[in-house]
Amino acid sequence: MDLLKKLTQCYGTSGNEKNISVLIESEIKSYADEIYSDALGNLVVHKKGKGKKIMFAAHMDEIGIVVTYIDDGGFLRFSGIGGLYTKNLINRKVRFKNEIIGVIGSELQNEKCAISKMYIDISAKSREEAEKYVSLGDTAAFIGDFYTQNDNVISKALDNRAGCYVLIEVLKKVKSDNDLYFVFTTQEEVGLRGARTAAYSVEPDYALAVDVTDVGDTPKCEKIAAKLGGGAAIKVMDYSVICDFSVREKLLELAKNNHIRYQLDVITSGGTDAGVMHLSRGGVRSGGISVPARYIHSPSETVNMNDVKCCIELTRLFAENI
């Protein structure tokens, strides 16, 4: 649990993943045969074997904002990095990489207000004062403290530090003759970019994306089958991919035979790194294991640790038995 807290609270917006990459490398360096970073900043962890080449991907980046303009009063105008829901933004706090804190305000006090009508207040009295702390192009992540309650975890950046946690734990436990690549990818939130180049370079036989997925277990929400506490979500499809049938069936077989609690992940929106991995080169047999999550792309994302444990076990078994 301490590791998951460290992962979620580490700064790492899309394109600025260095801090989280360093943290992950420090946790797994004794479990790998080879570790390197590529030109896009993907952290590639190789556990060598003579069997099938399998690539596991979990993205390191989190959603955030980027400064686009600083006005005469010292207020920052901004744009989103990744998918931002405007109803989640007003009065939220953000933290820049240099630890400067800002509060998002709005010219219009209603939840339908566009980002173009919002600003960030860093308590500066003028443009000149603001520019001592923040520059155009600087990025900030949302502030969302880490809490545990019953079996649930509430925090920012569980999308997708929960997936990173799963891969780290699998790396520590896996015993396989297969040739395993654990890739902690960059810039997923802005177009699955890191996974695209990593898959091309690794050229795997199989690929598995480990990420979070939406649930349908809160009052009057969209009808989605997955729920918190329902177990590992085996991906069937989302907007970016229809998963390979043989991969899906193998995951189902492993879950049933090993008494791992599971559910099916069938959504028509959103996407994961599988969306680009399956299209790499001549095509890659790809699938996904997802951690069910509430309030995705907010500072209060929520997952169930029993589901996380199911994802760890199922991912490990896939690495050992495909």
Side-chain angles (χ1 to χ4, degrees):
M1 196 74 78
D2 287 343
L3 173 57
L4 184 56
K5 181 177 181 178
K6 286 196 292 184
L7 291 169
T8 60
Q9 298 305 300
C10 186
Y11 180 90
T13 56
S14 302
N16 287 272
E17 297 94 347
K18 185 62 177 178
N19 286 2
I20 184 66
S21 178
V22 169
L23 172 59
I24 291 172
E25 183 172 356
S26 71
E27 291 289 333
I28 51 80
K29 59 186 177 183
S30 61
Y31 301 95
D33 296 311
E34 179 186 21
I35 303 175
Y36 62 90
S37 293
D38 66 15
L40 262 70
N42 296 305
L43 181 66
V44 183
V45 183
H46 187 192
K47 204 170 181 69
K48 295 180 180 179
K50 297 180 179 179
K52 301 179 184 71
K53 188 184 290 187
I54 310 171
M55 175 176 163
F56 299 92
H59 71 89
M60 297 184 287
D61 56 316
E62 61 184 311
I63 59 169
I65 64 91
V66 58
V67 177
T68 58
Y69 182 76
I70 303 174
D71 70 20
D72 291 339
F75 295 99
L76 317 178
R77 299 294 177 162
F78 66 95
S79 185
I81 298 175
L84 301 185
Y85 301 129
T86 55
K87 66 180 180 180
N88 293 335
L89 298 183
I90 298 174
N91 300 332
R92 295 290 187 183
K93 292 181 289 185
V94 296
R95 178 182 283 116
F96 288 86
K97 192 173 183 178
N98 62 0
E99 300 295 327
I100 292 295
I101 303 297
V103 178
I104 297 178
S106 171
E107 297 173 11
L108 306 172
Q109 292 300 313
N110 71 72
E111 64 179 29
K112 294 183 179 180
C113 179
I115 287 178
S116 62
K117 297 294 184 181
M118 297 181 190
Y119 55 84
I120 297 173
D121 180 356
I122 60 169
S123 301
K125 298 180 178 65
S126 66
R127 174 186 287 141
E128 291 74 21
E129 184 178 1
E131 288 175 341
K132 293 178 182 178
Y133 307 106
V134 176
S135 299
L136 295 181
D138 282 356
T139 62
F142 291 94
I143 292 176
D145 293 336
F146 185 96
Y147 299 98
T148 59
Q149 195 157 269
N150 296 326
D151 292 323
N152 288 353
V153 169
I154 305 164
S155 177
K156 79 171 185 76
L158 284 164
D159 177 12
N160 182 39
R161 307 294 166 70
C164 294
Y165 177 80
V166 169
L167 290 195
I168 291 169
E169 293 302 305
V170 172
L171 254 167
K172 293 176 179 178
K173 298 176 181 180
V174 69
K175 296 178 181 179
S176 176
D177 293 327
N178 287 321
D179 198 27
L180 308 179
Y181 285 80
F182 295 83
V183 184
F184 299 89
T185 63
T186 59
Q187 299 191 45
E188 189 269 357
E189 296 290 5
V190 291
L192 318 179
R193 296 172 185 173
R196 183 186 301 274
T197 60
Y200 187 90
S201 175
V202 171
E203 199 173 358
D205 300 311
Y206 293 90
L208 206 64
V210 180
D211 208 328
V212 298
T213 191
D214 278 318
V215 293
D217 60 356
T218 55
K220 296 184 179 180
C221 67
E222 183 181 353
K223 294 187 184 302
I224 298 172
K227 62 181 181 180
L228 244 62
I234 297 172
K235 186 170 288 294
V236 176
M237 66 168 288
D238 58 34
Y239 181 78
S240 70
V241 65
I242 298 174
C243 292
D244 180 80
F245 182 79
S246 66
V247 172
R248 186 180 77 193
E249 288 301 296
K250 187 63 176 180
L251 290 170
L252 287 169
E253 173 192 319
L254 290 168
K256 292 173 182 176
N257 291 345
N258 293 277
H259 309 291
I260 298 171
R261 192 170 175 82
Y262 75 92
Q263 51 195 323
L264 294 179
D265 181 15
V266 188
I267 56 176
T268 56
S269 60
T272 70
D273 282 336
V276 291
M277 293 192 297
H278 80 289
L279 297 173
S280 183
R281 292 185 181 263
V284 179
R285 296 185 184 277
S286 302
I289 295 176
S290 302
V291 179
R294 292 175 182 160
Y295 322 121
I296 291 175
H297 284 203
S298 84
S300 304
E301 294 169 342
T302 303
V303 302
N304 182 279
M305 285 306 297
N306 294 317
D307 295 338
V308 173
K309 292 173 184 176
C310 289
C311 290
I312 293 169
E313 187 64 9
L314 187 54
T315 304
R316 179 187 67 82
L317 286 168
F318 185 84
E320 295 175 347
N321 294 280
I322 188 64

